[in-house]
Amino acid sequence: MLALLTVISFLAGSLSTSDTKVPQDVRSPTENYLLWTWNNRLYVYSAAALLLGFCFLLQVTRRKINHTKDSGLKVQKAAKNKISSDKDGDVHVSGVKIFYGSQTGTAKGFASELSQEVQTLGIPAEVIDMKDYDPDDRLADECVSKSVCVFLVATYSDGRPTENAEWFCKWLEEASTDFRYGNSFLKGLRYAVFGLGDSVYVGHYNTVGKNVDKWLWMLSARRVLSRGEGDGNVVKSRHGSVQADFRAWEVRFLSRLKALARGEKKSCSGNCKNGASCKNRKKHGAQEEEENGSEVELIESSSEEEESGLSGEKMSRSVVDVEDLGNIMNNVKRAKGVKEDQGDGQMVKLTKQNGVMKTADEEERREMITPALREALTKQGYKLIGSHSGVKLCRWTKSMLRGRGGCYKHTFYGIESHRCMETTPSLACANKCVFCWRHHTNPVGTEWRWKMDPAEKILQDSLEKHQNMIRQFRGVPGVKPERYEEGLAAKHCALSLVGEPIMYPEINTFLRLLHSHHISSFLVTNAQFPEEIRNLVPVTQLYVSVDASTKDSLKKIDRPLFKDFWPRFLDCLRALGEKKQRTVYRLTLVKAWNVEELQAYAELIALGQPDFIEVKGVTYCGESSASSLTMANVPWHQEVVAFVQQLADMLPRYDIACEHEHSNCLLIAHDKFKVNGEWWTWIDYDRFQDLVQAHEDSGGQQSFSALDYTAKTPSWALFGSNEQGFDPADTRFQRRNKTKDISGC
């Protein structure tokens, strides 16, 4: 505007001409002044234009200042209103729970310091020793409590948790891979992790902090801040010491906590809505990159396949089915130029005597557990033994240690679940069942093709690893001291963990060793090895899985590898009928697949004449690319009861004896176990050990039958009782979070 006025003044001046000259003595002073003004009007106009322009600029500047002040006041007022509304209405952070795992007291000191800082923000804080906290009962409650959980965990020697955090970390690890909990078990939980370690120990630096962060993420907990790491090595510590590392992380956490308390879900990403350049773009970008990098690291080490224990395409490519192993071995030999003579198969085959026929050097046989398979099974909680065996702690063992009831075998046969070891001498199997608990991460095969470990070594390592897993329950809240002491000495062995135990060439030696240690034997087979069943030494109880009653449905459900699977299946049932000790058919009901085959089931029962028939609804093990099973295929307990009642009515000498409602399982027993109107389905284990010892001492001449070691069934275990199979000596535990179903056995 100033330039425009100047131009106008200049044009006006240039167009003017000198007035008619008039003598000055004729003019008055006023006329002279006006005349001078007119003659110098260019300068007057310029001065006026400058003055107006200055006034205009001053007014614009004043308006901008007032607008900025008004905006600041509005923001402050809105913030005050939001804070007051948060106080009066919704609470975004109800408190902070600080868990610590400490060996020397450093993490405990950090927890106390952080608690004080949090309380200065007006937010309640609680410091919790991990050994005093029961995650199985209480951690799921934090998902809905609007609290923020902070985990300050130190890494002890060999990358292990500290003593007070050992149980908490053990539970968290198992829950992250247990399909019963599911990968959304801790959805809604907000957490942050700070690990304490020393980079001098290269292989184990901050291992516990990384694992806790990973396991929580696998259970769908939400990380509110990237993991912090404190380094006790002052040379490599980012801030000079572990204390300085913690305080730097603490500042970030408190800032994030204040944002959460205001209800902010995300921190600024640097992309402002008005398109302007954010001043903190670099800062936020670096933080975002750090957090994303942390999450990428977790994703790489803990895929969704590993969260639920599934195998997926990647796992299926790295784990080779043993049925194809022969071709792979042949290709390797050709590549090495090794000629293989006819009949030299470099494998161990089962004989009728359940012995071993060696046709090649031991060094040239492959191990069953490949590195990829070892990694997969270890993440699922297996304790692997040698090259083909494993042991795992059953959840019912944990339950009975705490006085919360035993499994259905406790109800039906009197097993003490807290003294039961679940193991297998062979991880390989001849079937790919649709309801496989391990989603086929274990190998498959139709004969023994691998290196073989001695039975003595397998049993020794199994007992040792089982005992070590029991020791982890020492001092855990709720564990009964007397049951803990009993649990250290295994009394029962369930050879049903995974795979086909009967494939192991030295299975008879293994069974004899169990009995020599006064450990009862419960062996499960999938009915594909009839000769091996016939050659078995006496076992406490022999199971055959009868998953279907017709050839078509068995092929659809069990998906066996043998082409002659149906004749083998029927021959196994005949072999079972030849046994004198206790025998069991185990029926797994898969809704819409095999529940309508009552008459066919009755015919199979007549073929093998088992002592007992266990009928159990299938347990859904989560989604898998290897199975089309869904929750729609899981029958309700009342549907299982209706099926069992119809089946029992079709069997002339059988009746329903027991029920375990929690496992969705019922027991049909032969009437020879009903004496004077009372059921005797339980087992006298001491009597069995005496009988089997006499059998061994006589070289197999002195035999015995199932009726020689029975015991009376208690009333609470019977079908129709008010307890529905739950031992009244224990306390029924109802999970608070009803929406999370972890049933199954």
Side-chain angles (χ1 to χ4, degrees), residues 52 97 127 162 186 223 235 242 515 530 648:
L52 290 173
K97 294 189 176 180
V127 177
T162 58
L186 294 182
R223 187 189 302 110
V235 177
V242 66
H515 299 155

Side-chain angles (χ1 to χ4, degrees), residues 600-667:
Y601 274 119
E603 294 173 0
L604 293 180
I605 292 169
L607 182 64
Q609 291 293 313
D611 295 324
F612 305 98
I613 305 161
E614 292 178 3
V615 184
K616 183 180 184 299
V618 67
T619 300
Y620 179 60
C621 309
E623 296 180 359
S624 169
S625 59
S627 172
S628 59
L629 198 71
T630 67
M631 278 299 297
N633 300 117
V634 180
W636 295 96
H637 182 63
Q638 291 305 317
E639 292 176 312
V640 177
V641 171
F643 176 90
V644 170
Q645 288 174 334
Q646 294 179 60
L647 181 61
D649 291 340
M650 300 175 67
L651 305 175
R653 296 197 60 187
Y654 291 87
D655 201 358
I656 305 175
C658 303
E659 174 186 24
H660 193 258
E661 184 267 343
H662 188 88
S663 296
N664 201 9
C665 188
L666 285 90
L667 179 69

Side-chain angles (χ1 to χ4, degrees), residues 553-689:
S553 58
L554 185 68
K555 183 177 182 179
K556 182 170 63 174
I557 294 175
D558 278 7
R559 297 186 293 183
L561 301 184
F562 283 107
K563 293 182 179 179
D564 58 340
F565 68 91
W566 186 247
R568 283 177 169 273
F569 177 75
L570 297 178
D571 200 16
C572 283
L573 300 186
R574 297 188 192 97
L576 194 78
E578 299 167 8
K579 292 294 179 181
K580 295 183 179 180
Q581 289 75 43
R582 294 167 66 107
T583 57
V584 183
Y585 276 14
R586 189 168 70 171
L587 276 61
T588 300
L589 296 188
V590 185
K591 195 173 179 180
W593 287 39
N594 63 357
V595 295
E596 305 296 334
E597 304 169 356
L598 282 168
Q599 183 58 43
Y601 274 119
E603 294 173 0
L604 293 180
I605 292 169
L607 182 64
Q609 291 293 313
D611 295 324
F612 305 98
I613 305 161
E614 292 178 3
V615 184
K616 183 180 184 299
V618 67
T619 300
Y620 179 60
C621 309
E623 296 180 359
S624 169
S625 59
S627 172
S628 59
L629 198 71
T630 67
M631 278 299 297
N633 300 117
V634 180
W636 295 96
H637 182 63
Q638 291 305 317
E639 292 176 312
V640 177
V641 171
F643 176 90
V644 170
Q645 288 174 334
Q646 294 179 60
L647 181 61
D649 291 340
M650 300 175 67
L651 305 175
R653 296 197 60 187
Y654 291 87
D655 201 358
I656 305 175
C658 303
E659 174 186 24
H660 193 258
E661 184 267 343
H662 188 88
S663 296
N664 201 9
C665 188
L666 285 90
L667 179 69
I668 300 175
H670 197 280
D671 61 8
K672 66 183 178 183
F673 293 94
K674 198 170 189 177
V675 181
N676 297 326
E678 296 179 325
W679 284 108
W680 288 63
T681 66
W682 276 34
I683 298 173
D684 187 337
Y685 294 99
D686 294 333
R687 176 61 177 160
F688 169 79
Q689 297 296 344

Side-chain angles (χ1 to χ4, degrees), residues 229-268:
E229 293 185 351
D231 193 350
N233 183 3
V234 295
V235 177
K236 292 188 176 182
S237 172
R238 181 176 296 182
H239 300 91
S241 67
V242 66
Q243 289 81 7
D245 290 339
F246 171 74
R247 292 191 177 95
W249 180 86
E250 182 184 44
V251 170
R252 291 175 52 210
F253 172 76
L254 294 174
S255 175
R256 183 74 181 112
L257 183 63
K258 287 188 284 187
L260 291 173
R262 292 193 298 267
E264 296 179 11
K265 295 183 179 180
K266 294 182 180 179
S267 58
C268 176

